Structure formats: structure tokens, C-alpha cells
Amino acid sequence: MKKKKIGVYICHCGGNISDYVDVEKVRRAVEDEDIVFLAKTTMFACSDSNQREMVEDIKTNDLDGVVVASCSPKLHLLTFRNVSLRADLNKYTYVHANIREQASWAHSDNKIGATEKAIHLVKAAIAKSRYADALETNKVKAIKSVAVIGAGVAGMKAAISLSDKECDVILIEKESFVGGRVAQWDSLSTTTETGKEIVSRLYNDLIKRENITILTNSEVVENKGSVGNISLKIKKVPRYIGGSCHPEDLKRAIEVCPVEVPDEFNFRLTARKAIYKNYPSEYPQTPVIDIKNCTRCGACEKVCPAINFSEKDEILEFSVGSVLMATGFDSYTPTYGEFGYATSDNVITLPQFKRLIDTQHDKLVYKGKEIKNIAYIYCVGSRQTDGENTYCSRNCCTSTIHAALTAKNKFSDINNYHFNRGLRTYGKQEILYADSLRSGDIYLQSYEDGLPTVTVEGKKTIVKINDILSNGREIEVEADLVVLVTGMVPRADNTIGSLFKIPKGRDKFYNEVHMKLRPVETVIDGITIAGTCQGPKNIAESVNSALSAATKSYSILSKGELETDPLVATIDPEKCTWCGACEAACPFDSILKVEKDGKTIAEINNTVCKGCGMCAPVCEPDAINLIACSSAEIMSMIDALV
Amino acid sequence: MENPIKNRSYDALVIGAGIAGGEAALNLANTGYKVLLLDKELSVGGKMIMLSKVFPTLDCAACITTPKVSEISRHPNITIFTGSEVGNIRKLSDNEFVAKVTRKPRYVHIEDCTACQLCEKACPVNVRDQYQFGLIGRKAAFIPFSIASPKAADIDIDNCTLCGACERACPTNCIDFTMETEILELHVKTVLIATGFNLFDPMNIPRYGYGKYKNIITAQQMERELAPTRPFNTILRPGDGKVPDKIAYVLCVGSRDASVGNPICSQICCMYSIKQAQLLMGALPMADVTIYYINIRSFGKGFEEFYQQAKGMGVNFVKGKIGRISEKENGNLMLRYEDINEGKLQEAEHDMVILSTGVLPNSGIDKLFENEKLTLDQFSFVGQSDMLASPAKTSIEGVFVAGTATGPMDIPDSILSAGAASSEAISYLIQHA
């Protein structure tokens, strides 16, 4: 090892570190290490002035590398690698130590311990720094094509944005029709446009673009490769209805179909046939046969010549540069008996209520009964104190009040009773709350320890609450309809998430790297997330997130090539005796069996290898090492840590 | 990097260099477009750079903002004009706008200033420091704040007595009183409005006593007291410098209040108050912090958990809107309110009160445009012509809007809105190339 000269910078992080770790003590503890030429503390290592100072220090003192002890590398590893680059050092000579999340924040109750730990962490980083040599990045070709998974509003907007930037898009939708959740809504707040009209507008824009391929009835079943070159296998299930299909024939076919199933699109309020379209202006315009429920009786075939049961599943293959997830959300389904759900006759959910008021006119009727008194119970499935969903679903308050006002304006004699836990009509949406109060709606409030109860007494449904706004008075409402304001939950079906190994946050939605610095990226290179799959949002917020994700997905690929970190595994061909253990251990299929100089050995595919290290411990002859994480480096770090 | 103005045409003009404007500028610049980023303040970074910590992660605001600010200032495709204003924007065609830019002189040659602060020390004039929201003073020759970008001195000519002490003290001779206002005509292809917001001035609610009673400050002022680059060594109340131990937060000051002309919810105050309360519990472990609220709006990702965390830490939450504040002889304050839980009128004594003021629109943005009409919405924020499907579009084609210029927003929402606005602007530039 050559004798190096490094600089060590210990960050106060504006108090986040220095409030618990004595950074000056850490500095004194490391400044005499043999390779440390200078050691400084700084208020904000990432600030412009400190970055400039680091560049100065490196150039003036001819340093070989720097170590910064600060926050998680998730925030500023790249920032400081770039500082090294600007000082004409190879960026892989930079070593990072996390003394915020790993010392100060984890041990805020033990300042002495936190400081000691920080000292060891920095010494370990210095030990690693001895080995941190210049590395060349791998350059891979970046295919200028993005797979957008989900053709709801977020997916469609992302696709349009990418198409504008002359990027090819494969828009993959699992359902038979595009539009996602917004297509299930008609009246929307702040606009006279219906949800279906917005979806139509977006679809009509999409369909004109040659660089967008729309695949419905399709799901990704396999993926290989890594950012820049991801191979996807997509299974496309047939519609069983040929292209040119006369609308009259189709209408007959739907009429004669004997099968009826609950209509998921209408939130199970109605039934549909096995051959169906959700609504007349839906896209794509061809109906579809739900083959799982179809009994193959043949009645439809007799009246419609375009029906073709011999259509087969197709497997399509595409290679893309990055993937944008826009898979949306599910609505919370209340548990059996929750506020009378499934046990009482007239308890429905908010999505069902919205469908009800949108599809009816003159009178609001449910199960044969005309509805006058409506009780809304808020926060069902959100802000749970004894359940997993501790988060707030963000837009249900606004959505409910809008639905309540719509009902009041559309039907006569509607009385709205809002049983809530504090209204969250944030921002300009506050106006809806004010309008609702002015129109005579009654608001009754409780905290989480005094939730309303729903009981059935004979033919009456009584909703009761101890209303804190009237000093705890017990108030009961005889409700014709009880609407449970159900929130957003992550999709129950996580097949696609598991396929791409997308991590989830505390609330089980997909996890972004950092809410402010990297809000649409995931820790998997090349996979971005958009819309409600990341967390509850309204339409405008989903669109903002989708456009940001599109910009990000595109920027990775725009140069036609990208650099991947060379922090991969290497195999010593002298030691390897090909046993296959590493190939079996690799989760990314990046190990190949090759012939080299008459010997069968294993070889790593550098562009696919993620440097996870699963192969290294299973190698008996110890032929595998990780670049920048070699056994020698790790051992020297361990020596510094203990 | 302040480029010398050789080139007077840019692809995009971004008005406002806060986080929304900065993020949008970076996206455009990274795609290869030349951007002119303009701000009327002396530094890039908007309101975010002056904050202490951000909710709900409690990252330090400076730690997140300064690297972005650094990236913006170094980017070869971004030209930054601080202390500058724009006006008379005329749309000539689908891909040409002409704008008048007025650059106010700093009387300091930025490229030679090392921010050594010797001019500050020499200057005899003391005025209230607007960057510390009036908590302390500054000189007429001053560096705006320690993490400003550009980090260079400015001469506040309105308060300067022209004594010349700063000029004499400056080791690089970069102070130049002959500098003049520059007026430039710029040609750009697209405009992005990221002009941010104003905070409600609690002087408009006289019954709260702000300005009259010294120990009532705004949350923005408390933000400075909590920030690492704070003006004082501890948290103190301005009246007598005492460290407070019974602190009250009054929410919805100037929001949800038609009587002061702002009926909407400002969206961020519940969260920033809860954040400050947590930081205060950390800084002053013996202190009592009470938040008087109407409803707690903790709706975003991680927000509800953050609220529960504050409750767990011992922050008191009292449901009741403060009606009136009066002062006792010792500087303590009496808060009068209807306690909803108790069902009666109460009076509570606190030694320091913080008013959580609301978000108001920045005025006059529509006046920047000359021959086309920029529609404002009913609350005087910049109107969004296709609010649901294209929230960044305005009534003028080719002009986009990002961040709190459209309405109250927190930082993550502003950043995503800037991502959307830059995406629309890039699409526009490609279509009208």
C-alpha cells in the first residue's frame, strides 16, 4: 500500500450530529492517524462554501482522497464523490462515514457512547480509505425507452411526457381498459370535467403518438438486466373479441350472456356479464371477455362473428432503459362488522357512495329505499390506533365533503351528518368545508378514543357519538345510509412489486429514496415511482409526481449511455474451479459459466452485477472478492471498529 | 457562477430561485437547455434555506438546500441574477418572449468578494436584519447570511451613509459605489413562474398584540432561533431575553379566516408548528409547549406519525381558537380562548407566544406580463388553466408555474410541482423548437 494523504471532514450537520456527538473530540481522535494529513470539523459539509474549501484543500495539499463523516450516504455520497471529481481525483477514492443515522440519531440518549462510536466509525472509514483506489466506471449503452407500468392518470401523463421528449414508451396495463381509478369517478372537485372525460382526453393524446405502445390485458412476468438495458417479458391475455366488431352485434352478445358477476368497476354495487365494457366511452373501445368467469356456453358466439375463443396468450419481449411504476392504489375494505359493514343493510364505502350519486338522478335510492339522512364516518382504515394503517389518507375528507355537497345539490331533502375526527380539507380545499357548513351540513367530532357506533334497532340504523364540539353530549342520528370514508391502501396484489424488488415504506406504499432530495427514485437503479403507488394523493398531485418521475426516468437515459458503479464482484480465474455455488447464490443472474484457457470457470457480468456480495461467502476456494469491499478492506475496517 | 452577460437570449427564464425555481432550473439545465434564473433577493434558496429543520424527517434544512444551491450555482447551463426583477414580459410568438430585467447594483464586485466580513465590522450603520426577520440587527454593508449564495457582500444603499469605511476596510477593493442599475432586454423561449409566497402579517390582527407585546413572535422568527445559524445562543424571548418555559403556539393566524380576507387553509402551519414544538422540547427539556388549534392537518406521508410522536414527547394540544391575547406586567401573556374539550372560556398564561402565520400569494405576478393575460385564481394565486391534468399550465401558453406561486404547499409538493413544470416546459421547448 502506498502512503496516502487524506483529508477528513467531520460535519456538525447543523446540530443534527453535534448536538449528540462531540465532533471536536472525534476530530482530535483521528487527526493523528498515519494517512490523515488534515482533519477539520464543519457546520455543513454539503454547503457550497465547504465544498469549495474541500476542493481547495485537495488541490493545495495534493491530497489523495477525502473522508466525510456526516449523514447517510443516501443523501450526499454522490455530492462528495463529485467534489473529489472537481478536484481532479477519481471519485471512487472518496469514502463516506455515516455518523448521523448510525451514531448521533441512534444514540441520542447516550452522548458519550455516541461520540465513541463516531470515532470508531470514522477510523473505519479511514482504514477503508487506505484501499480506496481509482476505479473506472462501467459504461453501458442506455436504451432510450421506458416501460410505464399502469395506465391510470399517472401512467398516461408520464407516457405523454416521455413521448414528448422523443423517448419510446411501452405503457403496460394489467386491466382490460385504461383509466385506472379516475375512470371510476364522474364528478370531481374544482372542475366540471368528469373523471371519464379526463381519461378520454389523455387517451386521445396517447393514441396519436407513434412512440407509445399501449398494451392492455398485459402484465410483466419476467425481468432481467439492469438500468440502461432491462429485458422484460410481458404476458398479454386475449380479449377474445376480434377487431372489427359491429356495435349492435356486441350489444346482443352482452344481452344473451347468461353469466353475472359482481361488477368491480362499480364497486360491487351492480353486476355485469362475462362479456363486458365498463362504460360506453371506455378505451380501448373493444369489449372483453372475462375468461375466468365465462362458462363457454357459446351464446355470444352465435350472435357476434367477431368473437374468437381460439385467441391465445401472447408473450411479448421488450428491452427498455428504465421502468416507471404507476400501479396505483386500492381502497380500504372495512373488516366484517366494522361500523356495521357487511352486517348492516345500509352501510357502504365512500367509493360506492360516489358511484351511487353519479349514476342516479332525481331520487337517491339504495336497496329500494329512498335516502334522506346520510351519516359519514371518517377515517375508516386510516389513522388507526389498533391497526396497521397509522397514516392519514390525505384526500378522503375533501372527497367526502364534495360527494356530500354533490348529493345535496342533486337530490332533494338530503341531510348530511359528518362523524369526523377533525377535518383535513387542506389548502384551497377548505372552501368546500365552508360551503358544506353554509349549506346546513352537521359536523360531529370525536377523538380516536371515542369513535362513533353503528347499531341496528329494528328497522332503524342509529349512529351515535359523544360529540366533543357540544361538550361531549351524546348525539344520535337515524341514518338511511351510512357511508364509511375509506382511505387508500397499497395494492393488495404485489406481484409486480416483488418482481422488481421494490422496497416499501412504513406505510407499505413504495418507498422513495428521500422525500425531498430524491422523491421519485427507488433504491433500485432505473426504477422510478409515480402517483398513488408511492402514497395517497389527489389527481393533481399524482400528475405532478408522474411528470417528475418521467423527467427523472428520461434523464437517466437521455445521453444514450450511462455509467454504472464499478463496485462489482470479481472472480480470480486461477482459484476458481467451477462448482456452480456462486451462480446458484446470485439473485440477479449475473454469473456465467465460461471456458477460459481450457478451464471451465465462472465469470461475472459487470453490467448486471449489483455488488450485493451473496456470491462471496459461498465460494469455497475463496476466489471471489468485491471491489471496494474486499476481504482485506473489511478486515481492516473491523480492526478499526473494535 | 455569475456569467458576464454576453448572451442575452436563453431557452428558459425561471422567475424565482427558491426550491421550486431551483429544482425546475436544474431539470431544464440537465436536459441541455440554457436557463436564466432570477431572484429579487440577494441569495438563491428562497424561504427554505432560512429554515431550521424540515418536517417530518427533521433533516436540517440547510443540509438539504445548500447542495442543491451549490449544484445550481456551478451548473454551466444556469445563469443566476440575484437582486434582480423582471417585468414587461411580452409574448412575441409561440417560442419567443421578451422580458425587461432590472439588476439592482450591489456596489460590490461579487467575483472579487471573499466574504471576509471586514466591511461589516467597519460599517457604522445598524438596521434591522430582514434575513433574521427583525430579531437582530445588521450593518448596511453586510453578507446576507452565512450560507447565502452568492456568498458576497451587499451595500444596502437606502441605509448607507456613504461614509466609505467599508471601502477602506475591503482587502480586495471590490466595493464600488459607481455601480449602476442595469436594464437588460432578454429573449427567451419559455417562462416558468416560481415566485413563492408571502407570510401573513399578524399586525393585521390587532387583538393578538403582535408588535405591541414584545414576547409574541411569528413562527418564522422562531425558525431562526432554532436554526443552527441562529442569531442568539439559546432560545429566548425578545422582551427581556429570558429563556421561556411555558410556550404557546397559536395556529391559523391569518388562515381559515374570512375576516382578514383569507378563507383557505395554509396547509403547512400545523406541521411546522408541530416540528418547532418538537425542536423546542429538545432544546429546552424543562419547557412546556402548548399548541392551540382548530384542526390538526397532518395529512401527508409520515405526517400523522410525526403528530403522534409530538404528543408522545409531551407537547400539549388544546382544541380552541385563541380569541385575544393580553400582556401582564412581567411580559407574560394571557391567552383567551374557548376550550372545546372543557366547553368553556379559559385564560391561559404563557411566557412566550408564537403565531403560526399563514401563506398568502405574492402579489403583482400578473402585472409582469404585458400583452397576454396571466389569470389569477379567486385567492389571487397564479391560476392553473388545467388544474387536474396539467397543474403547471397557466392561462398563457408557454408560461408555466411551479411551487407555492399556485397556492400553499410544503417542500415535497413544491419539488414535485417543479418537476412537473420543468417537464411541461421541456415538452414545450421540444414542440416549438
Side-chain angles (χ1 to χ4, degrees), chain A residues 13-14 16 43-44 46-48 51-52 76 86 100 105 157 161 164-166 188 190-191 198 201 383 390-392 394 422-428 430-431 433 445 447-448 468-469 471 506-507 510 512 514-517 519-520 534 539-540 543-545 547-548 551, chain B residues 53-55 57-60 62-64 66-68 70 73-74 147 228 256 263-265 267 293 295-301 304-305 311 319 340-343 377 379 384 386-391 406-407 411-413 415-417 419-420 423-424 426-427 430-431:
Chain A
C13 196
N16 266 314
M43 182 58 80
F44 302 113
C46 52
S47 69
D48 196 30
Q51 287 188 47
R52 281 176 207 263
H76 295 307
R86 290 201 302 281
R100 188 182 76 169
W105 277 2
K157 283 295 294 188
S161 171
D164 278 342
K165 296 167 181 61
E166 286 156 20
L188 299 169
T190 72
T191 178
I198 293 185
R201 188 160 48 103
R383 299 177 69 193
T390 53
Y391 56 89
C392 167
R394 193 172 180 122
L423 265 303
R424 284 144 180 230
T425 42
Y426 59 91
K428 298 177 196 173
E430 183 70 21
I431 297 303
Y433 183 21
Q445 193 179 337
Y447 293 122
E448 58 269 19
I468 62 169
L469 300 174
N471 197 216
R506 227 181 350 181
D507 51 12
Y510 291 147
E512 69 287 331
H514 190 277
M515 267 181 83
K516 297 176 179 69
L517 290 174
V520 293
Q534 184 265 353
I539 298 174
V543 168
N544 279 343
S545 131
L547 293 178
S548 297
T551 306
Chain B
K53 296 202 174 145
V54 290
F55 58 81
T57 51
L58 293 180
D59 283 310
C60 93
C63 301
I64 305 187
T66 45
K68 284 261 159 160
S70 180
S73 65
R74 278 183 278 114
I147 44 176
R256 301 181 75 182
I264 65 174
C265 164
Q267 195 155 332
Y293 70 97
N295 299 116
I296 296 291
R297 269 105 200 257
S298 48
F299 55 86
K301 193 167 191 181
E304 182 70 20
E305 292 88 338
K311 279 201 206 163
K319 188 171 166 75
I340 301 297
N341 281 331
E342 302 296 314
D377 73 5
F379 309 108
Q384 295 159 282
D386 185 3
M387 189 153 142
L388 297 183
S390 286
T406 61
I411 296 168
D413 288 343
I415 292 179
L416 289 176
S417 121
S423 176
E424 302 265 24
I426 292 169
S427 292
I430 294 177
Q431 269 158 31

Side-chain angles (χ1 to χ4, degrees), chain A residues 144-403:
Chain A
K144 266 170 109 167
S145 168
V146 177
V148 175
I149 304 187
V153 166
M156 290 198 283
K157 283 295 294 188
I160 292 171
S161 171
L162 286 162
S163 156
D164 278 342
K165 296 167 181 61
E166 286 156 20
C167 185
D168 289 332
V169 181
I170 321 288
L171 181 56
I172 305 164
E173 171 57 54
K174 183 175 79 170
E175 300 294 335
S176 309
F177 303 99
V178 305
R181 297 296 180 200
V182 178
Q184 290 175 289
W185 302 328
D186 282 308
S187 63
L188 299 169
S189 176
T190 72
T191 178
T192 49
E193 225 181 347
T194 64
K196 294 175 173 57
E197 283 165 356
I198 293 185
V199 167
S200 298
R201 188 160 48 103
L202 292 176
Y203 185 83
N204 285 327
D205 187 343
L206 274 177
I207 205 74
K208 283 186 285 192
R209 293 160 184 267
E210 284 182 16
N211 55 5
I212 301 183
T213 307
I214 306 176
L215 302 169
T216 50
N217 262 10
S218 302
E219 281 189 75
V220 177
V221 290
E222 216 180 275
N223 73 317
K224 274 200 170 100
S226 63
V227 63
N229 193 341
I230 303 176
S231 327
L232 299 174
K233 265 211 181 100
I234 297 164
K235 182 169 106 169
K236 190 170 166 56
V237 165
R239 295 177 99 85
Y240 304 103
I241 302 178
S244 53
C245 179
H246 200 278
E248 279 307 312
D249 289 344
L250 224 18
K251 218 167 120 185
R252 279 287 294 156
I254 295 175
E255 272 169 38
V256 304
C257 173
V259 176
E260 272 201 6
V261 289
D263 186 352
E264 288 295 340
F265 187 84
N266 275 334
F267 303 99
R268 307 184 144 237
L269 285 171
T270 53
R272 62 153 173 84
K273 299 297 182 73
I275 172 172
Y276 72 102
K277 233 183 119 104
N278 291 313
Y279 61 94
S281 55
E282 196 166 34
Y283 289 108
Q285 295 184 309
T286 318
V288 74
I289 293 182
D290 170 8
I291 205 69
K292 288 200 195 80
N293 287 303
C294 169
T295 56
R296 297 298 301 271
C297 68
C300 56
E301 268 179 298
K302 294 196 184 80
V303 299
C304 180
I307 291 176
N308 178 5
F309 282 102
S310 66
E311 279 184 19
K312 295 257 174 298
D313 286 353
E314 276 178 81
I315 299 284
L316 306 162
E317 292 192 33
F318 290 97
S319 289
V320 296
S322 65
V323 174
L324 195 153
M325 302 293 294
T327 49
F329 69 97
D330 277 341
S331 265
Y332 175 78
T333 305
T335 54
Y336 186 85
E338 190 173 1
F339 295 111
Y341 185 73
T343 54
S344 298
D345 235 347
N346 52 0
V347 176
I348 60 174
T349 61
L350 176 65
Q352 288 175 314
F353 181 67
K354 284 162 70 147
R355 286 305 295 152
L356 210 61
I357 60 177
D358 279 335
T359 50
Q360 298 200 359
H361 310 277
D362 301 326
K363 282 213 197 85
L364 184 61
V365 175
Y366 182 66
K367 289 194 175 161
K369 186 173 171 203
E370 190 179 348
I371 306 296
K372 303 269 183 209
N373 288 351
I374 309 176
Y376 304 88
I377 302 182
Y378 285 66
C379 304
V380 177
S382 311
R383 299 177 69 193
Q384 291 178 323
T385 42
D386 59 349
E388 289 196 323
N389 301 349
T390 53
Y391 56 89
C392 167
S393 286
R394 193 172 180 122
N395 46 34
C396 353
C397 282
T398 305
S399 189
T400 304
I401 296 179
H402 170 77

Side-chain angles (χ1 to χ4, degrees), chain B residues 165-177:
Chain B
C166 54
E167 232 180 334
R168 288 190 291 276
C170 177
T172 59
N173 287 320
C174 65
I175 297 183
D176 179 1
F177 284 98

Side-chain angles (χ1 to χ4, degrees), chain A residues 20-22 25-26 29 103 110-123 640-641:
Chain A
Y20 306 102
V21 167
D22 181 346
K25 188 165 179 207
V26 176
N110 177 359
K111 291 189 183 178
I112 297 176
T115 306
E116 274 310 299
K117 186 173 178 184
I119 292 174
H120 285 285
L121 286 169
V122 178
K123 284 191 171 171
L641 283 167

